[in-house]
Amino acid sequence: MLQVVLLFAWMLVIAFLAFIACTFEDIESDIGSQSNPNSQVQLAAQVGQVNRFFNKAISGEPLSNAMYCVVAGTVVWMLLVRLEPLVPGATWKAAVVAIPVGVGVAALIHMIFSTTAHCGRVSAQKRFEQPIYLDVLYGHLLPIATHGFMTTFCITSIAYIQSNIGTLSGNPQLNHPFALPLLGFIWGITVGSIGSSTGDVHYGTEREFQDRPFGEGKRVVYHGKITRYADCGIRTQKDIAGFCAKFGGPCTGMTFGLIILFENWRTLVGMLLGGFLPDLPVFTASGDAAAIGGIVMGLLIVAAFVVGNLVFVKWVRKKCGPFVGV
Amino acid sequence: MDPVMILIIGYVVIGGLLASLGAHLLPVGGAPAAMGTATGIATGTVQIMLGAVLTGLFTAATVATFTNNILLVALSGAIGATIMLDVVMFMANILYAFGCGVLPISGRVDVDPITKEPQAEYKTPQTDGHGVPNVVFVSGTIGGFVGGFGGALMYFALLNYAHFTAGTAAVASFSIFVANAILAAYNIRGTIEGFHDPKFKRLPKSMIASFAISLLAGIVVVLAALGLGVI
């Protein structure tokens, strides 16, 4: 029974780490203006809006996050191979050293990519008279690296826990079949794709166009005309991070946290309902029953979300009503 | 030709075709959706498809350790991808509504084909819709299911018929999936709302391209397995 309780406990730890990871991932992409709304920062100089925004769309968020997480995961994995034999019986000591060191290496690479991406992108806008502000470059590197560090740290920790979840809860047979760097890759891609699809909305629709009417989609005619002035002085991405950390970041974090929670929870409940835990009779009827249990739980969750969206859309349409502007 | 080789190629082709179909069903809004200028999820086709399918693949890999039923493994992956997309679309709607004051409205149809709610008078002029309305949500749910099913099917075939290790099977099936998703993204060209979008009619061309690339990938998988001496 203790094993089952430990499995559920580790699942909750993973979900909590996922929440932190995606929150910081979204804020990091806002500070660096990496994702989809960066099209407006890129366009701004071309329509005469010279700005002091950081501009580092190296690639899509999923791929760049996957890269940092795989770099961290690979370094951690190599260190673990070397360090674990030194501390027999207490391998967690090796992890405590290896994970921060590996993630630190990924953070350094993150800063290098941010520098080259920003300088390359902004220097290409010379013909639109957009200068490279060196204080913007130096001032944003550290916040980008620290937020990226938090994301990569949490994802690497999730990968470490998942690849050792059986050992940690008492039965090594339950360890995930994927190696630590591959799990880092999977969750790096997923955290990036969620940060890109959910979190961008708050930065792009709301924060970049705050001198436009609130409560409408941004018309094509506004494109590129981003808000360049902050509450006090000229706006940089540091003002945006504080704003998005109040709503967009936590919402994005909750998205990833919920996904990890539902995914692991339904699998574990299925295993429990199918009689698979704690004896683990592999490739038997109870293994099939465990899979069916997980699928049924998943279908219930999907149905709940479809109905929830129906109710939510109906409510918000009734509350706001038709478009009344011009 | 050994029947198991035909089986591997067959499953890879089916998985590739499902990947292409799933990508067309997803509501992809790209950069315009991040500004509330277009309907759908505010990122590219390949990016959201990869996130969803890898989430499904993670669960499918777990399930494949305790059952050897291909249907159950594929369904587990499908549900995983569907849950990922549903949570993303629902939370995006919450952000649009409470963070930006924007309603979920379709830009491609005047009346929602499922709920029959009128759309046109709620839409901001000079935009192509915004948020994730109900018909788009349902289309995305089906797209996630189909795509996740295809990804997990390929994983199982590579794991149990081509006898790859779990890690290699994941990377190979994911790579075949990426190729198909990118082909679909070329076909979509920007944004798509789902099965009710006029762009959905372009699907057959993408399916032909997907069939060709998946067949080639299947043959390469078989050659690799033969070279490794595992089949």
Side-chain angles (χ1 to χ4, degrees):
Chain A
M1 194 59 205
L2 179 66
Q3 184 193 333
V4 178
V5 174
L6 276 174
L7 276 173
F8 275 90
W10 280 116
M11 179 196 75
L12 290 176
V13 172
I14 289 170
F16 173 71
L17 285 172
F19 176 88
I20 305 283
C22 209
T23 306
F24 277 92
E25 198 280 336
D26 177 49
I27 303 170
E28 185 269 323
S29 82
D30 296 339
I31 297 178
S33 190
Q34 175 158 359
S35 198
N36 293 291
N38 188 60
S39 61
Q40 301 305 298
V41 179
Q42 193 71 16
L43 190 61
Q46 298 176 39
V47 296
Q49 307 264 104
V50 173
N51 58 75
R52 282 168 61 83
F53 277 44
F54 200 90
N55 182 347
K56 74 152 177 95
I58 307 160
S59 69
E61 273 182 68
L63 300 174
S64 63
N65 273 291
M67 189 189 74
Y68 308 139
C69 293
V70 170
V71 166
T74 311
V75 175
V76 170
W77 188 73
M78 286 193 301
L79 286 174
L80 285 176
V81 168
R82 287 280 171 193
L83 294 178
E84 276 183 348
L86 301 179
V87 279
T91 48
W92 61 270
K93 288 180 182 169
V96 167
V97 175
I99 292 176
V101 172
V103 177
V105 173
L108 287 177
I109 289 178
H110 194 168
M111 282 167 84
I112 295 168
F113 270 85
S114 304
T115 311
T116 51
H118 177 70
C119 292
R121 282 201 158 238
V122 181
S123 61
Q125 294 181 327
K126 189 189 172 193
R127 71 182 75 172
F128 308 116
E129 297 181 355
Q130 170 72 45
I132 300 178
Y133 294 105
L134 284 180
D135 60 324
V136 170
L137 173 65
Y138 300 145
H140 283 74
L141 281 180
L142 210 57
I144 287 172
T146 44
H147 282 75
F149 184 93
M150 283 300 293
T151 308
T152 317
F153 181 82
C154 291
I155 296 287
T156 312
S157 303
I158 290 173
Y160 177 78
I161 294 170
Q162 283 179 334
S163 59
N164 294 297
I165 195 162
T167 316
L168 291 168
S169 58
N171 191 343
Q173 235 186 310
L174 279 168
N175 285 348
H176 199 273
F178 293 166
L180 194 152
L182 185 58
L183 284 168
F185 174 79
I186 287 180
W187 296 130
I189 288 266
T190 310
V191 80
S193 86
I194 293 162
S196 173
S197 52
T198 314
D200 281 3
V201 174
H202 201 221
Y203 169 42
T205 312
E206 183 55 24
R207 187 59 171 169
E208 273 191 346
F209 295 96
Q210 277 194 320
D211 50 6
R212 306 289 166 201
F214 176 80
E216 62 171 56
K218 293 297 162 266
R219 305 171 187 220
V220 178
V221 71
Y222 298 153
H223 281 199
K225 293 172 186 162
I226 54 176
T227 309
R228 293 176 297 165
Y229 297 98
D231 309 338
C232 178
I234 298 170
R235 182 179 282 181
T236 65
Q237 241 81 7
K238 286 174 206 159
D239 305 306
I240 286 168
F243 177 82
C244 290
K246 288 173 191 161
F247 188 64
C251 264
T252 315
M254 200 168 107
T255 311
F256 189 45
L258 280 179
I259 290 168
I260 295 274
L261 182 68
F262 286 144
E263 273 304 281
N264 288 287
W265 181 78
R266 76 181 177 94
T267 311
L268 276 181
V269 169
M271 286 157 99
L272 207 58
L273 290 178
F276 185 70
L277 286 176
D279 303 328
L280 315 181
V282 175
F283 302 142
T284 58
S286 94
D288 289 354
I292 292 167
I295 291 165
V296 172
M297 294 307 296
L299 281 173
L300 288 175
I301 294 168
V302 169
F305 270 100
V306 173
V307 174
N309 194 62
L310 271 168
V311 173
F312 180 72
V313 170
K314 196 172 179 184
W315 176 79
V316 77
R317 279 169 67 97
K318 195 176 166 192
K319 190 168 175 63
C320 297
F323 182 76
V324 290
V326 284
Chain B
M1 202 175 181
D2 201 354
V4 79
M5 294 181 193
I6 298 168
L7 211 59
I8 293 168
I9 296 175
Y11 279 129
V12 169
V13 168
I14 293 169
L17 291 176
L18 290 177
S20 183
L21 175 63
H24 279 78
L25 284 165
L26 289 186
V28 177
M35 270 94 60
T37 310
T39 316
I41 301 171
T43 191
T45 313
V46 181
Q47 318 213 21
I48 191 66
M49 199 76 221
L50 289 190
V53 168
L54 281 177
T55 311
L57 204 59
F58 169 78
T59 311
T62 311
V63 173
T65 59
F66 53 77
T67 175
N68 50 10
N69 185 328
I70 187 165
L71 192 66
L72 291 180
V73 173
L75 276 174
S76 299
I79 298 289
T82 316
I83 288 180
M84 188 276 188
L85 274 169
D86 274 8
V87 178
V88 165
M89 290 190 288
F90 186 75
M91 293 303 290
N93 263 350
I94 292 204
L95 260 167
Y96 274 117
F98 296 127
C100 321
V102 175
L103 294 185
I105 295 299
S106 165
R108 301 281 157 86
V109 285
D110 288 338
V111 175
D112 189 310
I114 294 174
T115 59
K116 307 294 178 202
E117 286 167 332
Q119 305 287 308
E121 62 258 43
Y122 289 81
K123 189 167 79 74
T124 310
Q126 289 187 22
T127 66
D128 199 12
H130 19 78
V132 188
N134 283 316
V135 62
V136 176
F137 194 94
V138 172
S139 181
T141 305
I142 301 168
F145 188 88
V146 170
F149 194 91
L153 197 70
M154 280 193 275
Y155 172 77
F156 188 90
L158 265 52
L159 184 73
N160 287 337
Y161 300 132
H163 300 293
F164 286 6
T165 59
T168 319
V171 172
S173 57
F174 160 78
S175 310
I176 300 167
F177 199 93
V178 175
N180 284 294
I182 291 173
L183 274 176
Y186 271 116
N187 198 36
I188 292 166
R189 274 183 271 160
T191 63
I192 188 168
E193 278 193 12
F195 54 71
H196 60 288
D197 195 298
K199 280 188 185 175
F200 191 69
K201 295 196 181 92
R202 292 181 191 163
L203 178 68
K205 284 181 187 168
S206 177
M207 294 297 253
I208 295 167
S210 276
F211 179 79
I213 196 84
S214 306
L215 189 66
L216 184 68
I219 293 168
V220 171
V221 166
V222 168
L223 288 177
L226 282 174
L228 292 168
V230 286
I231 58 171

